[in-house]
Amino acid sequence: MSKKLVIIGASGHGKVIADIAKKNGYYDIAFLDDNENIHECGGYPVVGRSQEAEDINADVIVGIGNASIRKKIQQSIPARKMATLIHPSAVVAEDVIIGVGTVIMAGAVINSGARIGTGCIINTCASVDHDCNVGDYAHIAVGSHLCGTVSVGDETWIGAGATVSNNISICSEGMIGAGAVVTKDIIEKGTYVGVPAKRLR
Ligand SMILES: CC(C)(COP(=O)(O)OP(=O)(O)OC[C@H]1O[C@@H](n2cnc3c(N)ncnc32)[C@H](O)[C@@H]1OP(=O)(O)O)[C@@H](O)C(=O)NCCC(=O)NCCS
């Protein structure tokens, strides 16, 4: 590992990633952002635009919350350059498989048999229990919980504080609202809110 990292996306989310990167031993951290008016993030410099990532001699992570943008940018960068970051306070079982470009944030718990895809965000204090399968570019937001053997499709967003009951499958590109409780499989993409979760639109 080069211990140099560029984070694409100089935002609040990027700032949190920078802190995790520092705790993972990266000593030289900088941002890339396509907004040329942003020069700094979390005390780290913005040194260029996202398309420059491939040419910079550093590991790369995409710090952008929007899944389709995150995916588009990550797919333009060779997988060998992508970092995978795990906050030291996260608890991750030994047999968990985590894809490149994924960030596991402070206080997250990922239990045995889980598989986390590429480019995912497992946010602060989220839990992913045994044998869950989290698809590529999914976001398991702050304080949300996947009970055992849950499947979350690619690019799906599980909102802050939401709970998904055990053995549930959620399709790709779904949006589960903050605080929702998902008790049945979700097979059609859309936004689902409430307890129990129902389709908003
Ligand atoms: C579900 C969500 C995506 C809907 O956003 P939106 O499309 O902009 O929807 P609106 O705010 O226009 O709300 C539409 C309706 O749904 C209701 N609603 C919105 N979010 C809701 C939620 N989480 N639970 C219950 N009802 C909700 C609104 O009250 C509103 O109801 P009304 O029509 O009776 O007034 C959004 O509210 C949400 O929960 N986002 C997740 C945020 C999050 O988890 N952030 C994590 C950062 S780590």
Side-chain angles (χ1 to χ4, degrees):
M1 199 193 292
S2 70
K3 293 300 170 190
K4 294 184 180 181
L5 181 75
V6 286
I7 303 167
I8 301 176
S11 61
H13 179 56
K15 200 189 294 188
V16 176
I17 290 176
D19 179 65
I20 300 170
K22 202 169 173 196
K23 291 178 167 68
N24 276 243
Y26 284 97
Y27 61 82
D28 187 348
I29 298 169
F31 282 88
L32 299 177
D33 199 288
D34 292 342
N35 181 342
E36 56 192 36
N37 297 316
I38 302 175
H39 303 292
E40 168 286 322
C41 184
Y44 300 99
V46 176
V47 296
R49 311 293 153 241
S50 57
Q51 74 270 17
E52 292 166 46
E54 197 175 338
D55 301 325
I56 294 177
N57 181 24
D59 294 345
V60 181
I61 196 99
V62 186
I64 293 174
N66 180 291
S68 60
I69 298 174
R70 192 164 70 254
K71 176 181 176 182
K72 189 169 172 218
I73 294 177
Q74 182 166 328
Q75 286 185 336
S76 72
I77 298 164
R80 65 181 158 73
K81 282 183 71 81
M82 296 306 302
T84 301
L85 299 176
I86 302 176
H87 192 284
S89 71
V91 177
V92 180
E94 280 183 18
D95 62 346
V96 169
I97 296 168
I98 301 173
V100 294
T102 284
V103 182
I104 316 286
M105 298 202 162
V109 178
I110 306 178
N111 270 333
S112 183
R115 177 210 166 263
I116 312 293
T118 191
C120 292
I121 303 166
I122 310 297
N123 220 316
T124 311
C125 292
S127 68
V128 176
D129 224 293
H130 66 88
D131 303 307
C132 284
N133 194 340
V134 176
D136 296 342
Y137 306 99
H139 179 181
I140 312 302
V142 172
S144 61
H145 302 292
L146 306 183
C147 299
T149 325
V150 163
S151 172
V152 173
D154 294 352
E155 297 179 56
T156 283
W157 178 307
I158 307 295
T163 298
V164 183
S165 296
N166 49 306
N167 304 315
I168 296 292
S169 288
I170 300 177
C171 63
S172 297
E173 297 177 51
M175 163 59 83
I176 307 301
V181 176
V182 182
T183 57
K184 290 181 180 158
D185 289 354
I186 291 180
I187 54 174
E188 224 178 307
K189 73 179 181 188
T191 300
Y192 295 79
V193 299
V195 182
K198 302 259 191 256
R199 188 165 188 172
L200 183 61
R201 63 175 82 85

